[in-house]
């Protein structure tokens, strides 16, 4: 049975991905900073994990043990309210919290679980980015902390793809499109918004269709590549 760790699994896309992987026959460990009802109701192993805390990451890696890990999905993310993430309002605290979860967390969790990934026969590593992290696609400005944190995580996972290619690790950077989640409640008003389960299903197809020849590239949930 293949193994998977999914972060941000108490809500939104993370929860939908955990459910999907369970249905696909994975031995899933679902984690979130909030051990809420949705996490508890998943029919899999669960744990509390604050990806912005090095101590929490170390404790989780110790709990996970020495077994192989076939799929690590870094999905947990935060976004400050719009009014706190403008040129005139963004603060060091907002930047630190946003980067701590969206950028440093995926890097340091992957670092901690890399020995487990390298024990897999077909290791796969995914990270939830966002199209707003594309510098070339930025035509609206704003969202300083969130936008920069996603641009940074793209850079981090592109570097991982280069460093891990000869070890057989496929790295997939994903944009979910507009999804009805608690991350940005106003996005749910968009006609283009989809439910988390639809986003997870489409992203899973993208994730599993990529090989080493595609490692480190940036993909939309509909399957087309995005520019940096």
């Amino acid at each position: 049975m293949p193994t998977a760790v999914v972060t941000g699994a108490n809500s939104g896309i993370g929860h939908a991905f955990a459910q999907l992987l369970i249905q696909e026959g994975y031995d899933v460990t679902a984690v979130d900073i909030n051990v809420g009802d949705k996490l508890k109701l998943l029919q899999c192993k669960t744990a509390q994990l604050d990806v912005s805390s090095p101590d929490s990451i170390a404790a989780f890696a110790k709990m996970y043990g020495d077994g192989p890990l076939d799929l690590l999905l870094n999905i947990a993310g935060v976004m400050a309210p719009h009014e706190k993430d403008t040129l005139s309002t963004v603060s060091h605290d907002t930047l630190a919290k946003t980067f701590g979860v969206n950028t440093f967390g995926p890097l340091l969790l992957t670092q901690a679980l890399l020995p487990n990934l390298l024990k897999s026969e077909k290791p796969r590593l995914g990270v939830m980015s966002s199209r707003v992290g594309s510098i070339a696609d930025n035509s609206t400005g704003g969202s300083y902390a969130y936008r920069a944190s996603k641009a940074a995580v793209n850079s981090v996972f592109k570097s991982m793809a280069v460093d891990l290619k000869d070890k057989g690790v496929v790295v997939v950077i994903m944009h979910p499109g507009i999804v009805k989640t608690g991350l940005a409640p106003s996005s749910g008003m968009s006609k283009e918004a989809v439910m988390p389960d639809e986003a997870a299903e489409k992203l899973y197809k993208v994730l599993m269709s990529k090989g080493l020849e595609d490692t480190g590239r940036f993909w939309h949930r509909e399957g087309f590549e995005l520019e940096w």
Side-chain angles (χ1 to χ4, degrees):
M1 179 180 290
T3 54
V5 168
V6 183
T7 72
N10 190 55
S11 63
I13 300 173
H15 184 262
F17 242 124
Q19 288 182 310
L20 177 60
L21 291 172
I22 292 166
Q23 295 168 3
E24 291 290 329
Y26 279 78
D27 178 6
V28 176
T29 303
V31 300
D32 199 289
I33 188 173
N34 298 309
V35 183
D37 291 340
K38 295 188 77 171
L39 189 70
K40 293 176 182 177
L41 288 172
L42 289 169
Q43 300 298 307
C44 66
K45 295 187 286 290
T46 62
Q48 195 275 341
L49 172 61
D50 177 359
V51 298
S52 69
S53 164
D55 289 342
S56 184
I57 289 173
F60 174 72
K62 183 177 181 180
M63 184 207 77
Y64 189 83
D66 298 326
L69 175 59
D70 298 301
L71 174 61
L72 172 58
L73 285 180
N74 292 283
I75 298 179
V78 295
M79 177 190 288
H82 173 73
E83 62 272 15
K84 293 185 178 180
D85 200 11
T86 69
L87 180 57
S88 59
T89 61
V90 69
S91 66
H92 184 278
D93 286 347
T94 295
L95 287 161
K97 180 179 180 180
T98 306
F99 270 77
V101 175
N102 295 355
T103 310
F104 307 154
L107 169 58
L108 296 176
L109 180 62
T110 302
Q111 180 188 66
L113 296 178
L114 187 57
N116 305 90
L117 279 167
L118 295 180
K119 290 181 180 178
S120 168
E121 293 182 0
K122 296 180 179 180
R124 194 169 294 268
L125 176 59
V127 65
M128 196 62 62
S129 183
S130 172
R131 193 173 194 162
V132 300
S134 168
I135 295 172
D137 192 57
N138 182 0
S139 61
T140 57
S143 300
Y144 282 82
Y146 186 73
R147 191 185 294 278
S149 74
K150 293 301 186 178
V153 85
N154 287 352
S155 178
V156 165
F157 277 75
K158 172 62 178 178
S159 287
M160 282 188 192
V162 174
D163 290 342
L164 296 174
K165 186 173 184 178
D166 65 350
K167 295 178 172 60
V169 181
V170 177
V171 179
V172 183
I173 304 166
M174 300 176 287
H175 165 59
I178 302 174
V179 185
K180 296 178 181 179
T181 71
L183 184 68
S186 62
S187 296
M189 303 298 290
S190 170
K191 292 181 180 180
E192 299 177 13
V194 302
M195 296 301 291
D197 56 348
E198 180 179 342
E201 288 171 6
K202 290 183 174 181
L203 288 166
Y204 180 70
K205 290 178 182 178
V206 172
L207 176 71
M208 301 309 293
S209 69
K210 305 308 174 189
L212 283 173
E213 67 277 8
D214 300 309
T215 192
R217 294 163 71 181
F218 187 20
W219 304 98
H220 192 284
R221 73 165 185 244
E222 298 297 339
F224 57 87
E225 189 172 6
L226 294 168
E227 57 188 352
W228 298 117

